[in-house]
């Protein structure tokens, strides 16, 4: 019988176990890296029906976010602008541009412009824009430097861990109310130190919920 | 055994070269780790969303336009000064509606709203030289001529509400109270253009180097 299994076969069970441990490590690393929104969503930059540039409108021209997303301070939803909002300027500026044909068609017929949604939380997450911007959370915290983007690109994972990072420790991320819509502004902590940020939170009684029902219902 | 490790390493390299790294821009719809077919009705629930799509309605949208003749359930808007800018006799209101308190708070609100919605075309000081002018916007009138100085507040309110010439309505962006706040700030801008040193309080003159 000694010929059937070579002597090296004695090590084989151990080698298989070692390999399985290595394999489990590789699979875990892969899943951790690839199976989260940090990989699946960050970088998503769909082709939009109109090549609207935030870098031009919000960055170069300095138009306030609220000019178009006009209900963001009043509503849970930061609305997309009506096509009339586009036509406020584009009934005169580049009014015959073929790139704006979709907007003109929408303005004349009332059909919606088929914008592609970039940032999308699951339906069981009830994110409220108004409550965040009115408490000093700037657009830039979740959306990145939109004012520098030619094409809107998903900048942050917007996963539950991402939300909780800030809900557990909001102090380094809050801004003065006047700075919320200025995406290049510094946070209170950067301007006047963490202590000032903690005071800001205390004065305004800002206590982000960490309970499930704070965001899920 | 060595071959097994080599194959594993090859598979890892292959997977990384196909999947790429985090944060690389891409245009295709994102991969769903928990796809809809495996967990139906969780992530995408069958309910209408603001500005969302709906397969139920013929025009494909979940937001419904108001049917003709619909009556608002909000409190009756019978304060014609506040909501229409008209005085009791039907002429344009001069001054501000009595329902509003004209104070520094209203002025601050007006400045903020003006900067967001008006300044891009009318300019920060209301001279009609907003940023859009450099990009082909037509002639935007300056606030600092006799016609607009003497215009009744109610008529300015009407212009913001319904638009005029090339300017479209801003009623969807500015609530009636905000429109009055903007008018108050416009009045301040007009006043500032004709201001003299005597208008500046004595204790503030130093700040202006006067």
């Amino acid at each position: 019988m000694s010929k059937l299994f070579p002597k090296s076969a004695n090590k084989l069970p151990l080698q298989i176990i070692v390999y399985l441990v290595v394999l489990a490590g590789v699979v875990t690393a892969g899943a951790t890296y690839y199976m989260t929104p940090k990989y699946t969503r960050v970088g998503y930059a769909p082709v939009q029906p109109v090549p609207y540039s935030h870098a031009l409108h919000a960055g170069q021209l300095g138009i306030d976010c609220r000019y178009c997303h006009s209900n963001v301070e009043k509503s849970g939803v930061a609305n997309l602008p009506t096509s009339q909002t586009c036509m406020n300027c584009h009934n005169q500026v580049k009014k015959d541009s073929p790139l704006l044909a979709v907007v003109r068609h929408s303005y004349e017929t009332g059909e919606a412009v088929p914008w592609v949604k970039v940032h999308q939380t699951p339906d069981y997450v009830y994110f409220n824009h108004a409550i965040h911007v009115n408490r000093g959370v700037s657009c830039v915290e979740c959306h990145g430097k939109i004012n520098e983007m030619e094409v809107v690109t998903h900048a942050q994972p917007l996963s539950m861990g991402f939300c909780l990072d800030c809900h557990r420790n909001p102090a380094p991320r809050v801004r003065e109310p006047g700075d919320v819509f200025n995406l290049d502004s510094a946070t209170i902590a950067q301007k006047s130190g963490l202590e000032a940020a903690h005071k800001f939170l205390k004065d305004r009684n800002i206590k982000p919920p960490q309970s499930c029902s704070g965001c899920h219902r | 055994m060595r071959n097994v490790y080599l194959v594993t390493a090859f598979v890892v390299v292959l997977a990384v070269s196909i999947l790429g790294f985090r944060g690389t821009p891409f245009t295709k719809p994102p991969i769903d780790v928990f796809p809809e077919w495996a967990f139906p009705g969780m992530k995408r629930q069958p309910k209408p969303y603001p500005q969302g799509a709906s397969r139920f309605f013929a025009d494909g949208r979940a937001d419904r336009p108001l049917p003709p003749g619909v009556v608002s359930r909000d409190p009756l808007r019978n304060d014609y000064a506040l909501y229409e800018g008209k005085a009791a006799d039907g002429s344009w209101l001069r001054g501000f509606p009595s329902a509003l308190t004209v104070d520094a708070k209203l002025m601050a609100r007006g400045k903020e709203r003006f900067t967001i919605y008006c300044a891009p075309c009318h300019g920060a000081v209301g001279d009609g030289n907003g940023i859009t002018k450099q990009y082909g916007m037509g002639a935007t009138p300056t606030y600092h001529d006799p016609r607009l100085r003497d215009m009744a507040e109610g008529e300015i309110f009407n212009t913001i509400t319904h638009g005029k010439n090339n300017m479209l309505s801003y009623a969807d962006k500015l609530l009636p109270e905000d429109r009055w706040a903007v008018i108050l700030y416009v009045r301040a801008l007009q006043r500032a253009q004709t201001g003299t040193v005597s208008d500046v309080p004595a204790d503030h003159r130093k700040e202006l180097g006067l």
Side-chain angles (χ1 to χ4, degrees):
Chain A
M1 288 302 277
S2 64
K3 290 278 161 72
L4 200 52
F5 291 104
K7 202 150 197 189
S8 62
N10 289 344
K11 287 185 191 157
L12 205 56
L14 185 68
Q15 282 176 329
I16 288 173
I17 289 168
V18 169
Y19 174 72
L20 287 179
V21 169
V22 169
L23 188 68
V26 168
V27 169
T28 309
T32 313
Y33 190 80
Y34 286 117
M35 288 177 73
T36 78
K38 282 178 189 162
Y39 170 75
T40 59
R41 292 210 71 97
V42 174
Y44 180 41
V47 179
Q48 300 287 357
V50 181
Y52 176 86
S53 164
H54 280 83
L56 173 67
H57 290 83
Q60 204 175 320
L61 271 69
I63 296 174
D64 195 283
C65 310
R66 292 165 286 182
Y67 186 90
C68 301
H69 305 288
S70 51
N71 289 339
V72 69
E73 294 168 301
K74 291 175 272 189
S75 159
V77 182
N79 59 307
L80 290 176
T82 59
S83 42
Q84 185 189 314
T85 306
C86 310
M87 295 306 277
N88 280 338
C89 293
H90 289 292
N91 59 3
Q92 296 167 67
V93 181
K94 292 191 185 290
K95 64 176 185 176
D96 299 315
S97 167
L99 297 175
L100 289 163
V102 183
V103 173
R104 286 195 298 274
H105 177 78
S106 164
Y107 182 63
E108 281 153 22
T109 62
E111 283 172 34
V113 177
W115 297 111
V116 184
K117 208 165 164 50
V118 181
H119 305 88
Q120 192 160 30
T121 50
D123 283 359
Y124 47 77
V125 179
Y126 290 78
F127 179 84
N128 187 315
H129 276 88
I131 221 144
H132 285 86
V133 296
N134 291 335
R135 299 289 190 285
V137 180
S138 171
C139 321
V140 73
E141 292 296 330
C142 302
H143 294 291
K145 288 245 177 180
I146 291 275
N147 59 336
E148 292 170 6
M149 293 181 192
E150 284 291 335
V151 178
V152 174
T153 308
H154 208 301
Q156 298 284 2
L158 305 188
S159 58
M160 190 163 130
F162 173 80
C163 295
L164 280 173
D165 277 348
C166 191
H167 273 232
R168 287 182 180 136
N169 184 21
R173 297 176 178 88
V174 283
R175 281 173 171 75
E176 300 278 358
D179 287 342
V180 167
F181 295 94
N182 175 5
L183 304 194
D184 296 319
S185 62
T187 61
I188 297 177
Q190 285 164 345
K191 270 183 181 171
S192 4
L194 259 181
E195 224 160 87
H198 280 294
K199 189 173 177 306
F200 175 86
L201 294 171
K202 193 160 179 274
D203 289 350
R204 281 153 193 269
N205 199 20
I206 299 171
K207 293 174 186 157
Q210 291 169 34
S211 63
C212 310
S213 59
C215 312
H216 303 294
R217 58 196 77 136
Chain B
M1 211 59 215
R2 218 173 128 225
N3 290 343
V4 177
Y5 281 102
L6 281 176
V7 168
T8 311
F10 177 72
V11 169
V12 167
V13 171
L14 192 72
V16 170
S17 53
I18 291 172
L19 294 169
F21 296 109
R22 279 178 177 179
T24 320
F26 61 98
T27 54
K28 291 205 180 108
I31 311 159
D32 217 342
V33 176
F34 301 102
E36 195 54 35
W37 53 263
F39 305 91
M42 274 286 281
K43 231 183 217 166
R44 298 289 159 246
Q45 298 164 6
K47 57 186 176 187
Y49 266 78
Q51 300 189 305
S54 164
R55 274 182 291 174
F56 183 78
F57 294 104
D59 64 357
R61 50 169 92 179
D63 288 347
R64 304 315 305 152
L66 296 178
V70 70
V71 176
S72 169
R73 296 202 328 168
D74 294 334
L76 188 61
R77 289 190 164 196
N78 58 353
D79 185 342
Y80 290 108
L82 182 61
Y83 295 114
E84 309 268 339
K86 284 183 180 166
D89 61 355
S91 62
W92 296 124
L93 181 76
R94 292 210 169 260
F96 288 84
S98 50
L100 291 175
T101 332
V102 176
D103 53 8
K105 208 177 142 200
L106 193 70
M107 183 70 87
R109 177 78 180 166
K111 183 183 180 185
E112 187 197 41
R113 297 291 116 175
F114 179 90
T115 312
I116 299 168
Y117 297 111
C118 315
C121 296
H122 287 284
V125 293
D127 56 1
N129 290 326
I131 182 86
T132 55
K133 199 173 188 179
Q134 302 166 25
Y135 293 84
M137 198 68 169
T140 313
T142 169
Y143 296 151
H144 311 300
D145 68 1
R147 182 178 70 87
L148 290 175
R149 275 181 198 286
D150 299 337
M151 188 181 263
E153 278 81 357
E155 195 176 350
I156 303 178
F157 182 87
N158 188 62
T159 303
I160 302 175
T161 310
H162 299 294
K164 195 174 189 178
N165 300 332
N166 277 328
M167 175 178 150
L168 302 175
S169 162
Y170 276 75
D172 62 327
K173 298 187 168 37
L174 293 164
L175 295 172
E177 292 77 5
D178 286 342
R179 282 171 236 164
W180 287 112
V182 165
I183 296 166
L184 182 65
Y185 185 66
V186 167
R187 285 291 184 235
L189 288 177
Q190 290 176 329
R191 180 79 183 77
Q193 288 293 309
T194 54
T196 57
V197 180
S198 57
D199 291 323
V200 184
D203 50 334
H204 284 290
R205 283 184 197 176
K206 223 174 181 180
E207 297 164 20
L208 297 169
L210 296 167

